[in-house]
Amino acid sequence: REIWEKVAKKYQENLEFFSSWEVERQYRYADEIITDMERYRGLVDMMMVYEDRETAQKKAEEFNNYLRLFRHFYRQDEEMETGKKSPEEEIMEALDGAVPVENTVDSTALDSADE
Protein backbone atom coordinates (compact mmCIF):
# COMPACT_ATOMS: atom_id res chain seq x y z
CA ARG A 1 0.00 0.00 0.00
CA GLU A 2 2.89 2.36 0.81
CA ILE A 3 4.41 1.81 -2.63
CA TRP A 4 1.00 2.31 -4.22
CA GLU A 5 0.64 5.65 -2.43
CA LYS A 6 4.09 6.82 -3.57
CA VAL A 7 3.49 5.92 -7.21
CA ALA A 8 0.00 7.46 -7.19
CA LYS A 9 1.43 10.63 -5.62
CA LYS A 10 3.98 10.91 -8.44
CA TYR A 11 1.25 10.65 -11.09
CA GLN A 12 -0.85 13.20 -9.19
CA GLU A 13 2.09 15.63 -9.08
CA ASN A 14 2.73 15.16 -12.80
CA LEU A 15 -0.91 15.77 -13.64
CA GLU A 16 -1.09 18.86 -11.45
CA PHE A 17 1.99 20.19 -13.26
CA PHE A 18 0.54 19.45 -16.70
CA SER A 19 -2.81 21.02 -15.72
CA SER A 20 -1.08 24.35 -15.04
CA TRP A 21 -0.18 24.63 -18.73
CA GLU A 22 -2.29 26.33 -21.38
CA VAL A 23 -4.54 23.92 -23.26
CA GLU A 24 -2.60 24.39 -26.50
CA ARG A 25 0.60 23.24 -24.79
CA GLN A 26 -1.25 20.32 -23.19
CA TYR A 27 -2.29 19.15 -26.65
CA ARG A 28 1.34 19.22 -27.79
CA TYR A 29 2.23 16.93 -24.87
CA ALA A 30 -0.98 14.91 -24.94
CA ASP A 31 0.82 11.58 -25.26
CA GLU A 32 2.70 12.12 -22.00
CA ILE A 33 -0.35 13.45 -20.18
CA ILE A 34 -2.65 10.66 -21.30
CA THR A 35 0.01 8.03 -20.56
CA ASP A 36 0.33 9.28 -16.98
CA MET A 37 -3.45 9.42 -16.64
CA GLU A 38 -3.91 5.87 -17.91
CA ARG A 39 -1.14 4.52 -15.69
CA TYR A 40 -2.76 6.24 -12.74
CA ARG A 41 -6.09 4.69 -13.80
CA GLY A 42 -4.39 1.29 -13.77
CA LEU A 43 -3.25 1.87 -10.20
CA VAL A 44 -6.77 2.75 -9.16
CA ASP A 45 -8.08 -0.35 -10.96
CA MET A 46 -5.64 -2.39 -8.90
CA MET A 47 -6.91 -0.70 -5.74
CA MET A 48 -10.46 -1.70 -6.72
CA VAL A 49 -9.34 -5.34 -6.80
CA TYR A 50 -7.23 -5.54 -3.66
CA GLU A 51 -8.66 -3.03 -1.18
CA ASP A 52 -11.93 -2.68 0.64
CA ARG A 53 -14.74 -1.03 -1.26
CA GLU A 54 -14.74 2.19 0.79
CA THR A 55 -11.01 2.82 0.22
CA ALA A 56 -11.29 1.93 -3.46
CA GLN A 57 -14.22 4.32 -3.94
CA LYS A 58 -12.27 7.12 -2.27
CA LYS A 59 -9.28 6.53 -4.55
CA ALA A 60 -11.54 6.37 -7.62
CA GLU A 61 -13.04 9.75 -6.71
CA GLU A 62 -9.53 11.21 -6.27
CA PHE A 63 -8.66 9.88 -9.72
CA ASN A 64 -11.82 11.42 -11.19
CA ASN A 65 -10.80 14.81 -9.79
CA TYR A 66 -7.52 14.58 -11.72
CA LEU A 67 -9.31 13.35 -14.81
CA ARG A 68 -11.55 16.43 -14.66
CA LEU A 69 -8.45 18.64 -14.98
CA PHE A 70 -8.21 17.38 -18.56
CA ARG A 71 -11.85 17.42 -19.66
CA HIS A 72 -10.71 18.34 -23.16
CA PHE A 73 -8.99 14.91 -23.45
CA TYR A 74 -11.68 12.76 -21.83
CA ARG A 75 -15.44 12.42 -21.92
CA GLN A 76 -17.37 12.46 -18.65
CA ASP A 77 -18.46 8.85 -19.17
CA GLU A 78 -14.79 7.82 -18.86
CA GLU A 79 -14.77 8.67 -15.17
CA MET A 80 -14.51 5.76 -12.80
CA GLU A 81 -17.80 4.93 -11.14
CA THR A 82 -17.32 5.09 -7.42
CA GLY A 83 -20.37 3.09 -6.40
CA LYS A 84 -20.13 0.26 -8.87
CA LYS A 85 -19.28 -3.37 -8.43
CA SER A 86 -15.75 -4.66 -8.16
CA PRO A 87 -14.02 -5.85 -11.36
CA GLU A 88 -14.35 -9.44 -10.12
CA GLU A 89 -18.10 -9.02 -9.64
CA GLU A 90 -18.44 -7.52 -13.12
CA ILE A 91 -16.46 -10.38 -14.68
CA MET A 92 -18.53 -13.00 -12.88
CA GLU A 93 -21.75 -11.33 -14.01
CA ALA A 94 -20.46 -11.14 -17.58
CA LEU A 95 -19.58 -14.84 -17.50
CA ASP A 96 -22.88 -15.86 -15.93
CA GLY A 97 -24.77 -17.80 -18.56
CA ALA A 98 -21.91 -17.59 -21.05
CA VAL A 99 -21.67 -20.46 -23.48
CA PRO A 100 -18.22 -22.08 -23.75
CA VAL A 101 -16.53 -21.70 -27.11
CA GLU A 102 -16.16 -24.97 -28.95
CA ASN A 103 -12.69 -26.11 -29.92
CA THR A 104 -12.59 -25.80 -33.69
CA VAL A 105 -8.93 -26.76 -34.13
CA ASP A 106 -8.45 -29.87 -36.29
CA SER A 107 -6.03 -31.98 -34.28
CA THR A 108 -5.18 -34.13 -37.32
CA ALA A 109 -3.92 -31.02 -39.07
CA LEU A 110 -1.67 -30.28 -36.11
CA ASP A 111 -0.34 -33.85 -36.12
CA SER A 112 0.58 -33.64 -39.79
CA ALA A 113 2.38 -30.33 -39.20
CA ASP A 114 4.80 -32.09 -36.85
CA GLU A 115 5.90 -34.52 -39.58
Side-chain angles (χ1 to χ4, degrees):
R1 175 85 184 260
E2 184 179 332
I3 293 171
W4 188 97
E5 291 289 344
K6 287 180 180 181
V7 175
K9 180 72 172 161
K10 185 63 180 164
Y11 287 127
Q12 292 168 351
E13 290 170 353
N14 288 353
L15 294 170
E16 286 173 10
F17 174 70
F18 292 139
S19 73
S20 69
W21 294 353
E22 294 178 8
V23 173
E24 183 179 311
R25 184 175 181 196
Q26 289 178 12
Y27 275 111
R28 286 195 309 263
Y29 291 90
D31 287 343
E32 289 87 354
I33 295 169
I34 292 170
T35 296
D36 277 1
M37 186 64 72
E38 292 305 315
R39 288 180 177 164
Y40 182 22
R41 181 190 302 268
L43 283 176
V44 176
D45 285 343
M46 189 170 50
M47 179 68 67
M48 302 283 253
V49 172
Y50 294 109
E51 288 293 329
D52 61 277
R53 182 170 289 209
E54 185 178 324
T55 301
Q57 288 175 348
K58 180 182 170 203
K59 297 301 180 183
E61 187 55 41
E62 280 179 11
F63 169 80
N64 287 338
N65 289 334
Y66 284 93
L67 188 68
R68 290 178 192 118
L69 295 173
F70 302 95
R71 284 190 173 108
H72 43 284
F73 291 142
Y74 290 94
R75 297 181 317 267
Q76 185 173 356
D77 64 344
E78 292 183 79
E79 290 185 9
M80 299 187 92
E81 293 183 31
T82 57
K84 71 177 192 175
K85 298 175 182 156
S86 72
E88 293 90 357
E89 291 171 321
E90 289 181 0
I91 291 169
M92 294 310 291
E93 278 188 9
L95 292 175
D96 189 33
V99 178
V101 177
E102 292 185 31
N103 184 357
T104 58
V105 175
D106 181 4
S107 61
T108 57
L110 293 175
D111 292 339
S112 63
D114 290 336
E115 296 173 1

